[in-house]
Amino acid sequence: MTRPCILTEIPGPKSRSLARRLRRAESPNITFVSQEFPIFWESASGMFVTDADGNTFLDMTAAFGVSAAGHSNPRVVEAVCKQAARLMHGMGDIHPPTVKVELAEKLAALSPGNLSHVIFGSSGAEAVEAALKTAMLYTGRPGVLAFEGGYHGLTYGALQTTHREDFKAPFCPQLGRFTVHAPYEASFHDLSLIEQAIAQADPPIGAVLVEPIQGRGGILVPPEGWFTALKDLCACRNILLIADEIFTGFGRTGRWFASETPPDIICLGKAMTGGFPISACIAPEEIMSAWGESQGEAVHTSTFIGNPLGCAAALAALSEIEDRNLVARSEQAGCYFKARLEALQLSHPAIREVRGRGLMLGMELRPEKEGGCRASRLMIEALRRGLIVLPAGPNDQVLELVPPLIISGEEIDFAVESLGDCLQAVGL
Ligand SMILES: Cc1ncc(COP(=O)(O)O)c(C=O)c1O
């Protein structure tokens, strides 16, 4: 295995200089800049990222869960280069690029159950909004039930369904009022909490939007059977169940999709292309037909809908996941990783819990007053040791471990040892 290689202080002088330049040219709330953060990525390959100062890091984030088949996967790069030379942009909903047809067919073949008809988008949030619109048209009921801790994106429609108050508070006067939130973890053993929220909702609920495993909420895994019971509960009330698999989709959890039974609509993004902004909302023909036949002017479209570079990238990324058995690999590597983290927990009581499925793992730390520390403290320590990790969860208590699905056993060993060193460095 290539090992991370740290040559400078972190961040190095070039990253610091780039941060100063960015401060002068970018809205100040976008990129977090401090004495200890960020490093500027210059290149990446497989599991490794090289920054502007020549430091090399092992990536335990897959860059927000995107680079499932590894960074700059050669097959994806080749497909994008070939496509760029042929056709970089088409007229998505007017004169579509040929690869859009291929990708729509491929997604229909891969999707669970009878999910067969796609609406493409450019971001996860757009896929969620396409799903909300589809459900509204099909059921005629505008209300949406989403979950506490849920994250579905930050554009205005999706933002309403996202739970975190800090994302929403400044914009409340411009947000609609169609979403109610039910408890997520508490409902794992008490579905009546969801039934009550549906019964009391105004406007009436037409769709339930759920992450089959909550990612940014802190890697929360419902017990076996919960998702199926939720689907049944929805079916009895003619409510559509929308699974937001933008994070969990395409092998992340050791299965192609984390939904244990086919949902009515699925939202996909992130790992679909391994690095190009394209997303998808997929529903059965019967549900998608609620849009009606286009009469020449699409009711829902955008300039880059079904962009050919994105479609080519996705076709290559999905073939790579299939041909290299990355779904099974995610399951196996995830079991090994989890066991190693559980062993680490034995010698570090500051770790409260290790949880997750496949390569979607979370390590929850005890709060400071109980002898733990914030996850972002560990993130900084890890960066200095050549490991890129991110915090998750509402209270900065969970370290999210979602590496590319190609991670090797040695790389897992290195990551776990480094995390042990980080805990020791902060006195835990
Ligand atoms: C489950 C889930 N849904 C939706 C989104 C939003 O995707 P995007 O940031 O591409 O809009 C994310 C992003 O992290 C996510 O994890």
Side-chain angles (χ1 to χ4, degrees):
M1 146 191 156
T2 325
R3 284 197 163 237
C5 178
I6 301 300
L7 306 169
T8 68
E9 58 177 345
I10 299 296
K14 288 188 177 150
S15 278
R16 283 180 200 274
S17 158
L18 286 160
R20 282 192 293 276
R21 281 171 56 194
L22 197 61
R23 260 290 157 274
R24 293 194 289 270
E26 186 189 46
S27 170
N29 192 255
I30 304 294
T31 307
F32 173 65
V33 174
S34 76
Q35 275 304 312
E36 299 164 312
F37 217 74
I39 52 158
F40 282 75
W41 292 23
E42 184 73 43
S43 62
S45 171
M47 287 296 304
F48 289 91
V49 173
T50 302
D51 76 357
D53 293 280
N55 300 302
T56 306
F57 302 82
L58 183 65
D59 178 22
M60 303 306 290
T61 70
F64 309 127
V66 169
S67 302
H71 288 281
S72 294
N73 178 287
R75 189 165 177 177
V76 178
V77 171
E78 192 190 343
V80 169
C81 290
K82 277 193 179 152
Q83 184 61 49
R86 256 197 321 264
L87 179 74
M88 269 182 86
H89 177 61
M91 295 179 76
D93 61 322
I94 305 287
H95 300 301
T98 52
V99 272
K100 182 173 112 163
V101 183
E102 274 179 69
L103 181 59
E105 286 173 352
K106 179 79 186 172
L107 289 173
L110 282 176
S111 294
N114 59 350
L115 303 181
S116 56
H117 283 59
V118 63
I119 297 175
F120 286 114
S122 303
S123 66
E126 263 188 74
V128 168
E129 297 197 356
L132 296 178
K133 283 182 172 179
T134 304
M136 168 71 215
L137 290 174
Y138 184 76
T139 67
R141 275 170 279 139
V144 175
L145 182 129
F147 287 91
E148 290 171 7
Y151 186 86
H152 305 288
L154 300 184
T155 53
Y156 268 172
L159 178 59
Q160 244 239 81
T161 61
T162 287
H163 185 244
R164 265 180 48 186
E165 226 17 70
D166 50 340
F167 289 132
K168 289 201 280 201
F171 312 109
C172 265
Q174 286 188 325
L175 290 177
R177 304 249 178 275
F178 58 78
T179 306
V180 293
H181 289 93
Y184 191 63
E185 281 185 283
S187 76
F188 290 172
H189 301 289
D190 186 3
L191 275 182
S192 72
L193 294 170
I194 300 171
E195 288 170 327
Q196 281 163 28
I198 290 174
Q200 290 162 9
D202 178 23
I205 301 294
V208 168
L209 173 64
V210 66
E211 290 165 84
I213 293 177
Q214 269 192 5
R216 289 194 70 176
I219 315 289
L220 299 175
V221 188
E224 219 47 60
W226 179 81
F227 188 91
T228 307
L230 181 62
K231 173 83 195 294
D232 292 344
L233 186 156
C234 290
C236 290
R237 292 164 177 76
N238 292 322
I239 291 171
L240 295 186
L241 182 62
I242 305 171
D244 179 347
E245 293 238 25
I246 287 160
F247 202 162
T248 49
F250 302 114
R252 171 59 51 201
T253 67
R255 307 171 184 177
W256 269 99
F257 301 103
S259 301
E260 61 185 23
T261 192
D264 297 303
I265 305 179
I266 199 166
C267 300
L268 302 170
K270 290 190 186 282
M272 194 167 114
T273 62
F276 196 91
I278 184 168
S279 62
C281 151
I282 311 177
E285 183 175 13
E286 188 218 332
I287 292 176
M288 241 358 149
S289 300
W291 284 90
E293 191 73 29
S294 172
Q295 300 300 317
E297 185 82 80
V299 190
H300 178 91
T301 186
S302 64
T303 305
F304 293 102
I305 199 165
N307 172 271
L309 291 185
C311 292
L315 285 164
L318 297 176
S319 300
E320 193 71 348
I321 293 172
E322 275 179 321
D323 295 353
R324 290 174 67 185
N325 286 327
L326 294 185
V327 180
R329 198 158 158 179
S330 167
E331 159 88 47
Q332 286 149 15
C335 282
Y336 178 67
F337 200 171
K338 200 170 175 193
R340 291 277 343 237
L341 290 170
E342 281 163 354
L344 186 72
Q345 186 185 16
L346 295 178
S347 47
H348 294 278
I351 302 172
R352 174 184 264 164
E353 193 183 18
V354 174
R355 55 178 180 254
R357 196 183 290 150
L359 283 170
M360 187 165 185
L361 298 174
M363 185 172 98
E364 182 174 345
L365 299 159
R366 293 184 195 282
E368 275 157 318
K369 61 178 186 315
E370 288 175 30
C373 75
R374 286 175 298 113
S376 53
R377 181 72 234 131
L378 231 50
M379 171 182 75
I380 300 290
E381 285 297 332
L383 201 59
R384 292 188 184 133
R385 286 167 176 75
L387 204 65
I388 302 175
V389 290
L390 278 179
N395 305 313
D396 193 6
Q397 289 310 132
V398 181
L399 211 61
E400 186 183 282
L401 299 160
V402 292
L405 309 184
I406 57 169
I407 192 168
S408 69
E410 276 177 307
E411 286 156 352
I412 290 172
D413 291 343
F414 177 85
V416 175
E417 280 154 28
S418 298
L419 290 174
D421 294 346
C422 293
L423 284 162
Q424 225 157 22
V426 297
L428 303 173

